[in-house]
Amino acid sequence: MLLAVAVTAAAPVNPARAQSAAPAFVDFDWVDPARSRAVPARLHWPTSVAPGSRVPLIVFSHGMGGSRRGYSYLGRYWAARGIASLHVQHAGSDSSLWVGNPLTVVDRLQRAAHESEALARAWDLHFALDRVLSSPYGAQIERRRIVAAGHSYGANTALLAVGARVMREGQWVEARDARFAAAIVISAPPFYGESDLASVLSKITVPNLHVTATNDSSKFPDTTRPLPIG
């Protein structure tokens, strides 16, 4: 059902009807074979795409415990304005964190905040972008207008995707994807516990839009220790 709706939306639409039509979306259940990792995603697609034209694409990363279904209000908003958005779900730090014994939720959150998962999330964006560009939608995506975006943990995922990096055991942990021309960073928490942000962010060369409140903070449940990455 969703696939049929999304395919219809990708085809030329009568502009007179476009104002009243709801933006469409399609869900993908991809698996990255190189990492044996599920990478679900939801693509919000503009209702009206003129024949031969191309649309910008935002690749969006959710916060801790989120999913591809979250932030749908952003997907609808962008789609209504002619912008496609691909909302990627990160299997190691998604809504499955809230399922199971409530007494062990803090342990699950701590595992999800590990640097290995932080890096895996950035590679999720890379893989999902590969897949959508090679799909039938790819021909209508403007390659020069692809943006990485995210909220909270996802904000730092987006920063990694555009060039942020940290030094660990004498090696840089990084996952830059040169296809991203800009980033939208919403409520980014302290970057992986780093204090030298000049070093962390020095390799980012694309424009960034940061949206953060002065009293924003992230904490583990029932503790006073700041959550370092989301």
Side-chain angles (χ1 to χ4, degrees):
M1 179 68 175
L2 292 178
L3 180 59
V5 170
V7 170
T8 301
V13 175
N14 185 336
R17 297 175 56 195
Q19 297 299 320
S20 60
F25 65 83
V26 59
D27 285 340
F28 299 104
D29 292 298
W30 292 318
V31 175
D32 183 352
R35 299 181 296 155
S36 299
R37 180 177 168 95
V39 186
R42 172 169 289 186
L43 177 66
H44 289 267
W45 192 256
T47 303
S48 179
V49 181
S53 66
R54 297 193 176 197
V55 300
L57 174 69
I58 296 171
V59 183
F60 192 88
S61 174
H62 63 72
M64 181 74 80
S67 76
R68 64 184 173 185
R69 296 181 297 278
Y71 310 93
S72 58
Y73 69 98
L74 290 176
R76 292 192 298 268
Y77 180 90
W78 288 325
R81 287 154 181 80
I83 301 169
S85 60
L86 183 66
H87 296 242
V88 180
Q89 184 166 330
H90 305 288
S93 52
D94 61 3
S95 54
S96 64
L97 292 175
W98 314 123
V99 178
N101 187 341
L103 299 179
T104 60
V105 66
V106 173
D107 290 337
R108 295 197 295 273
L109 287 168
Q110 289 174 332
R111 288 195 298 271
H114 192 272
E115 288 168 4
S116 60
E117 173 58 22
L119 190 59
R121 289 170 60 101
W123 290 123
D124 288 345
L125 299 192
H126 179 92
F127 172 79
L129 181 54
D130 281 346
R131 282 299 180 95
V132 76
L133 290 179
S134 62
S135 76
Y137 295 94
Q140 291 185 288
I141 293 172
E142 174 54 67
R143 300 300 203 271
R144 295 172 298 177
R145 301 173 69 191
I146 299 175
V147 175
H151 169 248
S152 192
Y153 199 171
N156 282 349
T157 303
L159 285 171
L160 277 174
V162 296
R165 59 182 189 167
V166 295
M167 178 67 73
R168 292 292 184 268
E169 299 179 357
Q171 294 186 332
W172 288 108
V173 176
E174 53 190 333
R176 178 176 177 269
D177 190 324
R179 294 172 295 182
F180 290 118
I184 301 172
V185 183
I186 305 171
S187 299
F191 200 95
Y192 307 100
E194 293 290 316
S195 58
D196 183 9
L197 291 182
S199 175
V200 170
L201 304 177
S202 64
K203 294 298 182 180
I204 297 179
T205 59
V206 300
N208 281 220
L209 171 64
H210 289 254
V211 183
T212 304
T214 54
N215 288 328
D216 247 351
S217 64
S218 298
K219 295 181 180 180
F220 281 117
D222 303 320
T223 77
T224 58
R225 186 165 69 86
L227 181 63
I229 54 177

